[in-house]
Every structure is written in structure tokens, then in C-alpha cells.
Amino acid sequence: MQRLATGLLILVTIIFAVTRYYEQYWHWLGFIRAFSEAAMIGALADWFAVTALFRHPLGIPIPHTAIIPERKERIAVSFGRFVETNFLDPDKIAERLSRQDLAVRLARTMRQPARANQVADFVAETIGGLLKVANDDDVEKLLAQGLSDRLGAIPVAPLLGRILQTTAADQRHRQILIQVVEVGTIWIEANQTAIRRRIASELPRWLPPIVDQKIYEKLLEAARRMLGELAMNPNHPLYDDFTAMIDEWIENLQHDPEVRARGEELKAEFLAQPLLREVSASAWQDFKDGLVTQSTVANSPLRQSIASGLSHLGDALEHDPEWRAKVDSWAEGMIRFIVGRYGRVAGEFITQTVNSWDAVETSRKIELQFGRDLQFIRINGTVVGGLAGLVIYTVSTFL
């Protein structure tokens, strides 16, 4: 386009020179000479105007030329503000979203199994990627600290009191006591050797070895008899004693300051143990390994669950106007928040990017982007200038 525009300038210059010479022989050549003379002037004027945008014409530092290189910083700021004002306006974007009917389009997309699977694959891979780059030590510390803070804020003694109160509600002391005795009987039966050894160590050496067996049998028989009596006699005196003991425990746990203080001390000792960090680390590693594995396996339960959830979401959006309204409202709110908070950042990023370009390179990029149209300005200036000169010459000749 530059060659075409320059070629027209050279052509009208040659025509001007030829017609100027032969005009004395053929007066009608004056019309062509006038056209070519004005066209040459118009072409030169527009060449100067277009060139002055990007560089000094002929390298001469004429004032108000090389506008783009000289005003690069101002142009960068203006361009950033232009994009921020006209393209990152929250109201305009929200209006455009409202016309797009985002919830309906999302519902139709999510109801397509292929699209739902694509989104599920993307989400699963994103989850896996985030988990892989996560710092395990930081996450484990965060989990342990969160669990410790949560447990530390709960008064342990009143909590145990409420648990006991709930467990013993509806006069369930009888069942509890029977279970306690039953567990004790089973334990005695399962630990015969250890119990006999303990009994033997407490007896005088001169007693026969059979004595520890007899004592163990008496102990086991007493436990079984006690279990049978409790099962057969709902009015056994032991029930009242056990109920009184449980009620006293509940009362002390909930209202006794000393018991509550002791409970807090025990809780603090427990939280100070490394066990809490080990449990958090183990739970995090199991959780992470499971998700990472499922995120890399095709058709894994994780991906299937995400795809199924998206499909159900599509069904809900398509058949429930209230849900569609919520999604549209949520999308509009999110867009307004993001653009309102980061729109200026985007404009500043554009400004900084343009400022980082070399002035000559910036001018060259803009010229390459708009240069074709600018060369048409030169061509049009040549034609329009010539026509204007022809009109002026014609009017002056006949008037």
C-alpha cells in the first residue's frame, strides 16, 4: 500500500511535468496539469500527515511530528483507561450477561453427557494439580491448628456430662449396668491366665497352686451370678446405686468447678501431644492420595460424581426458574465483584505492557495494524486533491 500510494505521487508528478511543458502547444492540457498539480500537493500533504504520526518526515525533527513515539506513555495510559472504561464496565458486562440467558445455556450444556464429562475431567485434573503443588507441611499444620483450636474451644467436662445425660436418658441405667457387667464377665473369661498369675503372685508361697484356680473360678462365678441377677431382677439394689453414681457424675461434670478445671487440664495435655499432628498428617495424606489417584484415572468415581452432579445441576436449572434466577444473580454478582475489584488492575496491566515496549517498535506495531487504512488516506488525498484542483481551474477558466 505504501508503494501504491507513493507510485501515485510519482505518477501525478510526472504528468504535471509533462503537461506543464506541452501546455503551451495544447491549451486543453491545462485541465490535466491542474488536476495533477493539485493531486501532487494533496498526496504530499497526506504523506506528511500520515508519516508524522509515526516518525519525523525525512528525519527532520519538525515540531508535532513522530507523535506516537513521543507520546507513547500518554497513549499507554489512555489506552488502558479506554479498555477499563469501555470494556470492563460492570454495568455493561452485567447487561450483556442478562441478554445471554446464562443459566439456560449452562443447563443445556451440562445436560449433554459429553460436555459434562469434559468439565468433570477439567475439574478433576485441576483438583489433582492443586493437590500436587500444595505444601503438605503447611496443610498439616493448618489442619492440626484448626482441630486444636476447635477442640480447645469446647469445654470437655460439660460435654461429657451431656453425653452421659443423653446416654442415661429414659431410665436406661439398667441396660447400661447390664452391659458393663457383661463386658466385665467377658474380660474375666478372656484373661484367665493373666488373672490367675496375678492372684498367685499375691498369695503366700506355702498355699497349693490349685488355690489361684479356685479363686479365679469364684470370681468368674460371682460375675456371672451378678449378671444373671441383674437380668432377672429389675428392682435389684445395685441399679439404684449405679443410677445415683451416674447422676452424681453428670452433676459434677456439668457444674463442679474443680471437675471442669481438671477436665480442661486433661484436654490441654491431650492437645499438647504430637498425636493430633500425626492424625492430621495421616488424614491429609490419605485424602490427598485418594483424590490425586482419582483425578488421574479415567472414569474414576471422582470424575463420575462431578459429571453426575453437573448433569443434575443442568436438570435443576432447566426445570426450576428459581434456580435459574439464583445462577443469573450469582454470575452477575461475581462479574461485578471481579470487574469492580480487578478492572483497574487490568487497565494498569495494559498501560504497563505498552510502556514496556520500545517507542520505535510500538510505532511500528501500530503502523502495521492500521497502516493499510492510513495509506488509503494518502491515495484518497491524491485523488480528492486532484479533483479539487481541476474544479478550481475550470471555474477560474470560464469565469
Side-chain angles (χ1 to χ4, degrees):
M1 293 306 300
Q2 282 181 334
R3 287 194 293 268
L4 177 59
T6 304
L8 283 177
L9 172 60
I10 295 173
L11 176 61
V12 294
T13 302
I14 294 173
I15 292 174
F16 170 74
V18 172
T19 55
R20 183 73 178 84
Y21 178 75
Y22 287 103
E23 184 181 359
Q24 57 183 328
Y25 303 109
W26 298 288
H27 295 289
W28 57 270
L29 289 177
F31 293 95
I32 300 177
R33 188 265 309 162
F35 174 87
S36 60
E37 182 179 13
M40 181 175 59
I41 295 173
L44 285 171
D46 285 342
W47 166 81
F48 181 90
V50 170
T51 303
L53 290 173
F54 305 102
R55 63 188 68 86
H56 296 298
L58 302 177
I60 302 173
I62 302 172
H64 304 292
T65 59
I67 294 174
I68 292 177
E70 296 292 338
R71 305 289 190 274
K72 187 192 71 169
E73 293 184 1
R74 187 181 303 173
I75 292 172
V77 173
S78 300
F79 187 52
R81 290 178 179 173
F82 174 79
V83 172
E84 178 185 345
T85 303
N86 294 277
F87 295 96
L88 299 178
D89 181 80
D91 294 331
K92 293 180 180 178
I93 296 177
E95 181 184 356
R96 180 66 181 272
L97 280 178
S98 65
R99 294 199 303 267
Q100 296 298 319
D101 206 355
L102 182 64
V104 173
R105 299 173 74 131
L106 179 63
R108 293 172 181 172
T109 301
M110 292 302 97
R111 291 191 66 209
Q112 300 177 16
R115 292 296 181 88
N117 289 331
Q118 287 178 353
V119 176
D121 291 342
F122 172 76
V123 173
E125 291 172 2
T126 301
I127 292 174
L130 292 175
L131 290 175
K132 288 179 182 178
V133 300
N135 188 303
D136 291 339
D137 289 339
D138 291 342
V139 175
E140 291 166 8
K141 290 179 181 177
L142 182 63
L143 290 175
Q145 186 62 44
L147 184 59
S148 177
D149 292 343
R150 185 63 177 171
L151 293 176
I154 301 175
V156 63
L159 176 62
L160 291 176
R162 288 194 296 272
I163 293 174
L164 281 176
Q165 191 174 27
T166 303
T167 305
D170 300 328
Q171 300 299 318
R172 287 184 289 187
H173 302 80
R174 182 171 179 270
Q175 292 86 346
I176 296 173
L177 181 57
I178 291 177
Q179 290 178 1
V180 170
V181 176
E182 185 177 358
V183 170
T185 303
I186 294 173
W187 183 85
I188 292 173
E189 292 178 349
N191 295 274
Q192 176 180 350
T193 303
I195 294 174
R196 289 184 59 187
R197 187 180 298 118
R198 180 63 180 177
I199 293 172
S201 65
E202 298 294 333
L203 295 174
R205 295 184 178 275
W206 49 268
L207 288 176
I210 194 64
V211 174
D212 62 295
Q213 174 65 23
K214 294 298 182 180
I215 295 176
Y216 169 78
E217 291 176 356
K218 290 290 185 181
L219 179 63
L220 180 59
E221 181 183 356
R224 289 173 176 171
R225 186 169 60 251
M226 176 65 68
L227 183 61
E229 292 176 357
L230 291 173
M232 296 298 294
N233 183 10
N235 297 317
H236 197 285
L238 191 56
Y239 286 131
D240 294 334
D241 297 338
F242 183 72
T243 300
M245 181 185 67
I246 293 295
D247 292 341
E248 184 179 1
W249 283 359
I250 293 173
E251 181 67 21
N252 291 337
L253 287 171
Q254 292 185 331
H255 303 102
D256 191 327
E258 294 183 1
V259 175
R260 297 184 64 169
R262 181 54 181 164
E264 293 303 305
E265 292 176 3
L266 293 174
K267 182 181 68 175
E269 293 178 4
F270 169 75
L271 295 178
Q273 299 297 321
L275 177 63
L276 197 62
R277 176 68 184 273
E278 294 173 2
V279 171
S280 300
S282 177
W284 164 247
Q285 287 299 328
D286 292 342
F287 175 77
K288 176 182 176 181
D289 293 342
L291 284 183
V292 169
T293 300
Q294 293 196 42
S295 67
T296 57
V297 177
N299 297 322
S300 64
L302 174 63
R303 299 191 181 208
Q304 292 177 0
S305 298
I306 296 174
S308 176
L310 292 173
S311 179
H312 290 314
L313 175 61
D315 291 335
L317 288 176
E318 188 162 7
H319 298 99
D320 192 337
E322 185 177 352
W323 265 96
R324 290 199 299 271
K326 288 181 179 180
V327 170
D328 288 337
S329 176
W330 174 79
E332 180 180 344
M334 181 183 67
I335 290 297
R336 287 183 179 276
F337 171 76
I338 294 175
V339 174
R341 184 161 186 173
Y342 300 105
R344 181 174 296 276
V345 176
E348 292 176 352
F349 173 75
I350 294 173
T351 300
Q352 293 172 1
T353 301
V354 175
N355 274 329
S356 66
W357 294 345
D358 178 73
V360 176
E361 183 64 21
T362 302
S363 177
R364 181 62 178 166
K365 287 181 178 181
I366 297 176
E367 185 176 9
L368 289 175
Q369 185 67 31
F370 303 104
R372 183 179 180 86
D373 294 326
L374 293 175
Q375 298 308 315
F376 270 116
I377 292 176
R378 293 179 56 190
I379 296 172
N380 292 336
T382 303
V383 176
V384 173
L387 293 175
L390 178 60
V391 170
I392 293 173
Y393 179 78
T394 301
V395 172
S396 63
T397 301
F398 291 101
L399 296 181

